[in-house]
Amino acid sequence: MSSSRKLQVVSPVPADIDIANSVEPLHIAEIAKDLNLSPLHYDLYGKYKAKVLLSAFDELKDREDGYYVVVGGITPTPLGEGKSTTTVGLCQALGAYLDKKVVTCLRQPSQGPTFGIKGGAAGGGYSQVIPMDEFNLHLTGDIHAITASNNLLAAAIDTRIFHEASQSDKALFNRLCPVNKEGKRSFSDIMFRRLTKLGISKTSPEELTPEEVKKFARLDIDPDSITWRRVMDVNDRFLRKITVGQGPEEKGMTRETGFDISVASEIMAVLALTTSLGDMRERLGKMVIGNSKAGEPITADDLGVGGALTVLMKDAIHPTLMQTLEGTPVLVHAGPFANIAHGNSSIVADKIALKLVGPGGFVVTEAGFGSDIGTEKFMNIKCRYSGLTPQCAIVVATVRALKMHGGGPDVVAGRPLDRAYVSEKVSLVEAGCVNLAKHIANTKAYGVNVVVAVNMFSTDSEAELNAVRKFSMEAGAFDAVICSHHAHGGKGAVDLGIAVEKACQNVTQPLRFLYPLEISIKDKIEAIAKSYGASGVEYSDQAEKQIEMYTQQGFSNLPICMSKTQYSFSHDASKKGAPTGFVLPIRDVRGSIGAGFIYPLVGTMSTMPGLPTRPCFYEIDIDTVTGKVRGLS
């Protein structure tokens, strides 16, 4: 690509922020020009970011798509195995070295980890998205828009309960449909959605019977059934459980609730899975916040707020254009949790990117966590809603993680690695390759070609790396490539780029889903559990109750988004390798109805992280002379 550039790398590899600050980004208009993206189809957000408008897709909708590649990984250590870095490095290789049209599609990171334990998520070393500080901080405000819309809905829920408790049916109805200047009452547009849901075809408030007035005006929300929580984009453990309504004017109407981190909001999942502005409006309106006391699902549209939520999200629907260190384009959009949500960037970004690169070009997107979670949800949820078919799936592996799966000592974030991980231990690597083999087999089952990317560390020996490559090929990979993109940028992933191109050109099977949507919720859960290696599934009484409720409410045809630990194929994070014969316990089952999936909870999942004793923010500051950010990792 013409705007791409080669990096001048140094060894040892400097800190990520130092590398990012050493490269002057190109004006984002140059990146857009490389993609033949007309200025009519993007809005500038400063010099280095732009919002790509959905009109770009509309103009190119008849153009043939490029190749579609998803990056997953083996079961990771708590340190991560470099999926984001590999995604960026591969795209730098394709664009800057192999002269291909390429777009990287990534999730927007939450500010929680940036200031907490994990640090930022822009890749690493010489394979990064820049400006790194803008990528990891506010970006173009999408997460703030999600926070605002989520909390507007939360306010609407408690306010409606409050007003219904203190008013008669008639008074409530009269306030919902006030008299206008002509002395008449009328329904607002959004109210017709509730009327239709109730089977009421009347168009004037005066026509409703007292019974219809009650059905329309009184949602009768069961406070114990409310699943909607407030959110903020900060790790704050003390907000996990709170009581609202303690002010004197709330008349003792207290309720126990809590905060989640913003990226755990269903609105984030809606943004990631939506296909158009109209589709987003429908999904936001269908979000279920709880039930009535009669057991009927209550939606955002029932509360009259679906349209307002869409207005708050109208700019967030447009992906943000950025660039890599080597000047290749990146679309950053949406960042749903990879546990309680599906952990993939947006459908609209992928669709726009596939048209922009065109035939022979490449769109590379990353799926969160190991392929048992991220790639599975990419295929069975994201590809179902998008209608897109990937040609190649990458499984990122490291010698370090394979040693752990082979019986190596525990890997703990913040502690020095055991000597086994920094000295040659080929037998440990070979023993751990059972985990890699399981990921290859599971991913191949979707009908895509699998390329293993071995993310090389300086402490890896040639014998260890060759063992991984040999085992990958024996396990059925299309190819397995040793990569050094962290240390060398795109140059270190050229062989990976060549392998990916060949894999895309040699697809022989159609996309196959793991399960059909028409089967029961339990059958779908059990199909996924079987893919993990489970011999069966065990449901708690609460899970049984929820499955029955969602089935009765008509939601049993939705895909399943399994919420489990990323550190094992099983529910037990200590079970490494490829465990079999275990019974998967389902503690609870919940629904993101607007986003469009049911999510069973396997164990306890925190949706509001906490800060450690020494958070990342100790290192973060600003150079008051240059204005550059220091200490981001």
Side-chain angles (χ1 to χ4, degrees), residues 521-522 525-526 537-552 560 562 584-591 598-603:
I521 291 174
K522 279 191 173 182
I525 290 171
E526 284 154 26
V537 178
E538 184 177 76
Y539 301 92
S540 70
D541 291 344
Q542 171 68 7
E544 293 275 12
K545 179 180 146 192
Q546 291 293 98
I547 289 170
E548 185 180 350
M549 182 191 76
Y550 286 127
T551 302
Q552 288 177 350
I560 299 297
M562 203 72 90
L584 196 74
I586 306 298
R587 181 176 63 84
D588 199 355
V589 176
R590 297 178 190 166
I598 301 289
Y599 62 100
L601 297 172
V602 185

Side-chain angles (χ1 to χ4, degrees), residues 166-219:
S166 59
Q167 298 179 55
S168 67
D169 296 342
K170 186 176 180 182
L172 190 63
F173 182 73
N174 288 343
R175 285 188 171 93
L176 288 169
C177 302
V179 174
N180 61 22
K181 291 178 183 177
E182 288 77 39
K184 293 186 176 181
R185 301 183 189 277
S186 63
F187 294 120
S188 65
D189 287 347
I190 199 169
M191 290 177 174
F192 287 105
R193 292 174 180 251
R194 176 153 178 81
L195 290 166
T196 300
K197 177 180 174 178
L198 295 171
I200 299 171
S201 57
K202 296 169 183 175
T203 58
S204 171
E206 280 84 3
E207 296 173 351
L208 269 61
T209 66
E211 185 184 350
E212 289 171 335
V213 164
K214 181 174 183 174
K215 282 173 68 178
F216 169 77
R218 195 164 293 281
L219 301 182

Side-chain angles (χ1 to χ4, degrees), residues 330-382:
V330 180
L331 285 179
V332 185
H333 202 213
F337 250 36
N339 277 325
I340 65 163
H342 64 292
N344 282 262
S345 60
S346 79
I347 286 173
V348 293
D350 290 0
K351 284 195 157 191
I352 290 169
L354 286 163
K355 296 301 180 188
L356 288 171
V357 299
F362 292 84
V363 171
V364 184
T365 188
E366 178 198 347
F369 295 149
S371 61
D372 56 318
I373 298 178
T375 305
E376 184 270 309
K377 293 174 182 179
F378 171 86
M379 300 292 185
N380 292 305
I381 300 176
K382 185 176 180 180

